[in-house]
Amino acid sequence: MKQIVVSGIRSTGHLHLGNYYGALRNFIQMQNDFECYFFIADYHSLTTHPDPKDLHPNVRSILAEYLASGLDPEKSSIYIQSDVPEVCEIFTLLNMHAYIGELERTASFKDKIRKQPENVNAGLLTYPVLMAADILQHKANLVPVGKDQLQHLEMTRKYARRFNTIYGAELFPEPDAYKFHGEPIKIPGLDGSGKMGKSEGNCIYLNDEDKVLTKKVMRAVTDQGPTEMNQQKPEVIENLFTLMKVVSTPDTVEHFNDLYNKCEIRYGDMKKQLAEDILKVTAPIRERYKEIVNDDEYLRRVAAIGAEKARESSAKTLREMREIMGFKKF
Ligand code: TYM
């Protein structure tokens, strides 16, 4: 039977390299081999209270970035999360078996309490349950995500297992994390902090103009340089190499690694090469994005076709859940 793939990205603005290499690039590769549902998580974006004026433009830009990057509406169902409201009912049903204690222990929740103490809303607490509903509504087997989402995915597996066990049903498969090449990854920030992310304010965007992007890369934090042969790299330097490993050829990485080991590296040269290699990936996406982003007719058509297919699949799962849980019509 064909494996089912589900994944999404929150609509909080333009996509950055973390989104691209952690998720989107894998979506593009997977669409050829699997039955895929790729959505834009606009409900999830509400946890940080975006201005209503920004909600739709953010969805539009991500949809255009999905398409500009090579997601194909003929191959995958590409849809907006809120166009499939069945997910909200599935979320309600799953919530009855999600426990406050386990939700409070989630790393992303604890992180948000630290980052936005003035807005610790229930949507943040139940965020992993809505994500489980996103995934389970299509009975996904595989979920391409970056490393930071693995705990959420583990919770999805737990909710699937719990539902099946409690009701003695075999409704949900337990989905696995999936990356086309190897393990899920974390793209680092180039400012010395751990991960590239919106709330970290250190993003390189797919949509950055050449000059802006190059400037961001050239400003990456480094150190004084190695002083001993084959010395271990400090985190900021390891970060540069991590990014280079995903965007550049193995030969290029090898070249700079050798120079580092011989204490001959010039970080300026490495950054210049890195910026060039990132631009090779992002510049064509940016060009296509400009052609697509204002094509209302095309975007409407893609979203409508995607939503229709996703609703069909979601409604079927919801009917099955209702029946298993004992709902009946008079
Ligand atoms: P979000 O919007 O924070 O991120 C979207 C995807 O990008 C990946 N990502 C990264 N990967 C590597 N390095 C980084 N620095 C980096 N930053 C972001 C994330 O791992 C993710 O795969 N909860 C999800 C959205 C979501 C979802 C789902 C995903 C909602 N429902 C169902 C899969 C299935 C999220 O917040 O992603």
Side-chain angles (χ1 to χ4, degrees), residues 84 86-87 90 137-138 310-318:
V84 184
E86 284 81 358
V87 76
I90 296 177
Q137 66 182 338
H138 303 305
R311 281 196 87 166
E312 200 179 301
S313 149
S314 184
K316 176 171 175 290
T317 304
L318 179 56

Side-chain angles (χ1 to χ4, degrees), residues 14 20 36 59 78 83 119 121-122 128 130 158 176 179 220 236 241 250 267 278 284 286 293 312 318 325-326:
H14 287 291
Y20 184 75
C36 295
V59 169
I78 303 171
D83 280 345
N119 176 20
N121 59 68
L130 181 54
K158 180 156 56 173
D176 289 312
K179 185 176 178 296
V236 284
F241 275 93
Y267 292 132
I278 295 173
R286 191 168 4 116
V293 70
E312 200 179 301
L318 179 56
M325 294 175 90

Side-chain angles (χ1 to χ4, degrees), residues 6-12 15-24 27 39 41 44 62 81 127 130-135 143-150 152-153 156 184-189 194-198:
V6 174
S7 197
I9 297 182
R10 266 176 310 152
S11 51
T12 48
L15 297 183
H16 54 78
L17 290 184
N19 298 137
Y20 184 75
Y21 285 104
L24 184 51
F27 300 178
F39 64 96
H44 274 112
I62 298 207
Q81 188 183 31
Y127 187 108
L130 181 54
M131 183 158 158
D134 289 326
I135 296 169
V143 185
V145 281
K147 212 170 180 176
D148 60 320
Q149 297 296 315
L150 292 183
H152 291 161
L153 194 56
T156 299
I185 53 169
K186 178 176 94 176
I187 299 294
K195 135 185 165 179
M196 183 177 293
K198 287 273 163 49

Side-chain angles (χ1 to χ4, degrees), residues 50-62:
D51 189 321
K53 281 202 306 297
D54 296 331
L55 197 74
H56 185 68
N58 283 344
V59 169
R60 174 193 290 271
S61 66
I62 298 207

Side-chain angles (χ1 to χ4, degrees), residues 245-262:
K245 276 182 205 150
V246 291
V247 298
S248 306
T249 63
D251 286 353
T252 308
V253 179
E254 183 77 21
H255 170 70
F256 286 102
N257 200 36
D258 284 348
L259 290 176
Y260 186 89
N261 286 337
K262 289 191 284 186

Side-chain angles (χ1 to χ4, degrees), residues 56-116:
H56 185 68
N58 283 344
V59 169
R60 174 193 290 271
S61 66
I62 298 207
L63 182 55
E65 281 164 349
Y66 272 5
L67 296 164
S69 301
L71 270 196
D72 181 348
E74 306 257 324
K75 294 180 181 162
S76 311
S77 157
I78 303 171
Y79 69 97
I80 323 297
Q81 188 183 31
S82 61
D83 280 345
V84 184
E86 284 81 358
V87 76
C88 296
E89 189 173 341
I90 296 177
F91 167 64
T92 300
L93 301 180
L94 290 176
N95 261 325
M96 306 307 164
H97 296 296
Y99 294 100
I100 296 283
E102 64 199 8
L103 292 169
E104 281 175 342
R105 282 194 298 277
T106 313
S108 60
F109 181 64
K110 290 201 266 187
D111 191 46
K112 284 288 186 217
I113 293 181
R114 241 178 297 122
K115 284 192 182 138
Q116 52 180 71

Side-chain angles (χ1 to χ4, degrees), residues 164-183:
N164 289 346
T165 308
I166 289 173
Y167 296 104
E170 276 182 45
L171 187 65
F172 298 124
E174 285 183 41
D176 289 312
Y178 195 79
K179 185 176 178 296
F180 208 75
H181 302 289
E183 286 304 300

